[in-house]
C-alpha cells in the first residue's frame, strides 16, 4: 500500500489548559478521535481522500461542540448561517457554499455542487434550492439550538459586538476541517463553519473560499484553515502554502511556518491550519494559544492535541 494519511481540526484560539476541566478535555478529544478514525478507516479501505475528508467533516458538523453544522453560532437575526467548501487535489475541482440555513451538513452540499453542477460556489437560497434538488438533508431551527451558543449570542447582542465563537474573555475560532492523502496519491481538503456570533450583513469568512480557507493540489499539498477569516482572506493563506512549495521549493513544514507564524502574524491574523503533502508529511501549526487537532498516517502514529506542546 502507498502512503496514506489524514488530519482534522476543530478550531483554534484561546484554548487554555487552566480553564479546561479534565472531563471537557476528554469529550473534545473523543470527538476528534471519532471523526479522525472514521476517515482513516475509509482510507485504509482504499476510499478516496475526498470521501475521507467529507466524512470526517460531516461527523464534526454533527457534534454541537464545534461551530459548524449542528453547533453553529447565532447571527444577529438569531439564525444559523453556515459556510463550507471541499476541493479535489487531483483535478482542482471544488464545491463551495455560503450563508445557507437549515442544511444539516454543508460539506455534503459542497460535494454535491462540485460533483453535480457546472459551478463552484453557491450561496443562500439558491444553494438551498440546489440542495433540495440533490435531496440534501435539512433540519429545523430546533436542531441547531444550543444553550451555550445562545448565551454567547445574548452576550454579543448586549455588547452590540460581533464575536468570534467564544465565551467572555476568550477567543475561539470554531471552524472544522480535514485534509487527506489516499492510496492513489490524491489529496483533498474540506472546511466548514458556522461563522461569527451576532454577525451582520451576510458576512462570509475564509472557510468557503478556495485559496483562503481551503486548498488542495496534488502537486503540493492540501490545506484547511481555522482562524479570523478576514485575515486569511487577505493573506490567501491556504493557497500561499501551496505556492511557496511549488515556486520556492519550501517543504510543507517551512511553508506552513511562513504563512501561519510570519505572514499572518505580521498582519495580526490569529489561528492555525492543518496540511498534508503528496509525500504524506503532516503539519498542524497555529499562532494562537491552542488548536483542536488530530492526525494519523502510515508514517505517523495517532496524535490528538489541544494545547501548545
Amino acid at each position: 500500500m502507498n502512503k496514506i494519511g489524514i488530519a482534522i481540526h476543530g478550531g483554534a484560539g484561546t484554548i487554555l489548559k487552566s480553564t479546561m476541566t479534565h472531563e471537557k478535555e476528554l469529550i473534545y478529544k473523543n470527538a476528534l478521535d471519532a471523526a479522525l478514525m472514521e476517515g482513516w478507516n475509509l482510507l485504509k479501505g482504499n476510499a478516496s481522500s475526498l470521501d475521507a475528508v467529507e466524512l470526517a467533516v460531516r461527523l464534526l458538523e454533527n457534534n454541537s461542540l464545534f461551530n459548524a453544522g449542528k453547533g453553529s453560532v447565532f447571527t444577529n437575526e438569531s439564525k444559523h448561517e453556515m459556510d463550507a467548501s471541499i476541493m479535489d487535489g487531483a483535478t482542482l475541482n471544488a464545491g463551495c457554499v455560503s450563508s445557507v440555513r437549515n442544511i444539516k451538513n454543508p460539506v455534503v452540499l459542497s460535494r454535491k455542487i462540485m460533483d453535480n453542477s457546472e459551478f463552484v460556489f453557491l450561496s443562500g437560497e439558491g444553494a438551498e434550492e440546489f440542495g433540495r434538488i440533490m435531496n440534501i438533508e435539512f433540519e429545523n431551527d430546533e436542531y441547531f439550538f444550543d444553550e451555550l451558543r445562545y448565551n454567547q449570542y445574548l452576550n454579543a447582542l448586549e455588547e452590540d459586538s460581533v464575536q468570534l465563537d467564544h465565551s467572555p474573555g476568550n477567543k475561539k475560532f470554531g471552524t472544522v476541517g480535514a485534509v487527506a492523502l489516499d492510496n492513489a496519491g490524491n489529496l483533498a481538503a474540506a472546511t466548514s463553519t458556522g461563522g461569527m456570533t451576532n454577525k451582520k450583513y451576510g458576512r462570509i469568512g475564509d472557510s468557503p473560499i478556495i485559496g483562503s480557507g481551503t486548498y488542495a493540489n496534488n502537486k503540493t499539498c492540501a490545506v484547511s484553515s481555522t482562524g479570523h477569516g478576514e485575515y486569511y482572506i487577505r493573506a490567501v493563506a491556504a493557497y500561499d502554502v501551496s505556492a511557496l512549495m511549488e515556486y520556492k521549493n519550501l517543504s510543507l513544514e517551512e511553508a506552513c511556518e511562513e504563512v501561519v507564524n510570519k505572514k499572518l502574524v505580521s498582519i495580526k491574523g490569529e489561528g492555525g491550519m492543518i496540511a498534508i503533502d503528496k509525500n504524506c508529511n503532516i503539519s498542524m501549526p497555529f499562532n494562537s494559544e491552542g488548536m483542536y487537532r488530530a492526525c494519523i498516517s502510515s508514517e505517523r502514529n495517532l496524535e490528538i492535541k489541544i494545547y501548545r506542546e
Side-chain angles (χ1 to χ4, degrees):
M1 178 181 284
N2 294 322
K3 295 177 181 179
I4 58 172
I6 183 170
I8 65 172
H9 69 77
T14 308
I15 306 166
L16 301 174
K17 193 174 183 66
S18 60
T19 61
M20 181 86 73
T21 65
H22 175 72
E23 290 74 18
K24 189 174 182 181
E25 180 179 317
L26 191 60
I27 290 170
Y28 272 103
K29 285 187 172 181
N30 285 341
L32 291 169
D33 180 60
L36 182 77
M37 295 312 294
E38 289 286 345
W40 174 240
N41 287 333
L42 276 188
L43 291 175
K44 289 197 298 181
N46 210 32
S48 72
S49 53
L50 277 168
D51 287 345
V53 298
E54 180 185 357
L55 175 60
V57 170
R58 178 165 60 83
L59 292 172
L60 293 170
E61 287 176 337
N62 290 345
N63 193 320
S64 59
L65 286 173
F66 305 104
N67 176 19
K70 183 178 176 65
S72 294
V73 299
F74 287 82
T75 69
N76 179 253
E77 298 175 342
S78 191
K79 300 293 184 180
H80 306 279
E81 290 183 353
M82 297 165 282
D83 309 329
S85 59
I86 192 167
M87 187 168 186
D88 179 3
T91 62
L92 302 187
N93 288 339
C96 314
V97 61
S98 69
S99 303
V100 293
R101 297 179 177 179
N102 300 106
I103 301 287
K104 182 178 182 181
N105 294 112
V107 72
V108 174
L109 179 53
S110 297
R111 179 74 183 271
K112 292 292 187 183
I113 292 168
M114 181 179 74
D115 290 346
N116 297 281
S117 81
E118 65 270 45
F119 307 117
V120 171
F121 203 144
L122 300 181
S123 67
E125 292 180 359
E128 293 162 17
E129 180 183 356
F130 183 77
R132 292 186 183 93
I133 294 170
M134 291 289 107
N135 294 314
I136 290 291
E137 193 170 356
F138 282 69
E139 292 286 354
N140 58 31
D141 289 342
E142 286 72 27
Y143 171 82
F144 298 94
F145 181 87
D146 180 85
E147 188 172 357
L148 173 64
R149 302 288 188 225
Y150 189 65
N151 289 335
Q152 290 173 346
Y153 164 65
L154 293 178
N155 180 65
L157 272 182
E158 186 176 335
E159 295 180 358
D160 192 26
S161 65
V162 177
Q163 296 181 349
L164 297 158
D165 167 28
H166 73 287
S167 300
N170 291 323
K171 291 183 291 182
K172 185 168 94 59
F173 312 98
T175 309
V176 304
V179 295
L181 172 70
D182 63 29
N183 192 44
N186 294 321
L187 293 163
T191 312
S192 181
T193 189
M196 287 183 169
T197 298
N198 198 34
K199 74 172 186 175
K200 303 175 183 179
Y201 316 122
R203 179 264 181 187
I204 297 168
D206 65 305
S207 296
I209 299 176
I210 297 302
S212 293
T214 304
Y215 192 73
N217 187 330
N218 276 9
K219 291 182 180 179
T220 53
C221 63
V223 180
S224 174
S225 305
T226 172
H228 195 149
E230 277 67 16
Y231 297 95
Y232 280 71
I233 293 170
R234 293 167 188 154
V236 199
Y239 174 71
D240 206 26
V241 174
S242 175
L244 287 167
M245 294 177 68
E246 183 173 1
Y247 303 127
K248 293 190 72 174
N249 295 314
L250 267 61
S251 69
L252 180 72
E253 194 71 31
E254 290 169 339
C256 286
E257 174 71 17
E258 182 70 28
V259 172
V260 173
N261 288 309
K262 293 182 181 178
K263 185 177 185 179
L264 283 168
V265 168
S266 72
I267 59 173
K268 296 180 170 55
E270 187 179 350
M273 60 176 50
I274 54 171
I276 186 169
D277 69 14
K278 62 182 181 179
N279 297 314
C280 208
N281 297 304
I282 294 173
S283 182
M284 301 187 291
F286 55 98
N287 60 38
S288 52
E289 293 292 338
M291 182 170 76
Y292 298 107
R293 62 202 189 276
C295 70
I296 188 171
S297 77
S298 51
E299 310 296 299
R300 189 165 174 172
N301 293 330
L302 171 66
E303 294 180 22
I304 304 172
K305 297 180 179 180
I306 299 177
Y307 319 106
R308 288 197 173 277
E309 294 303 302

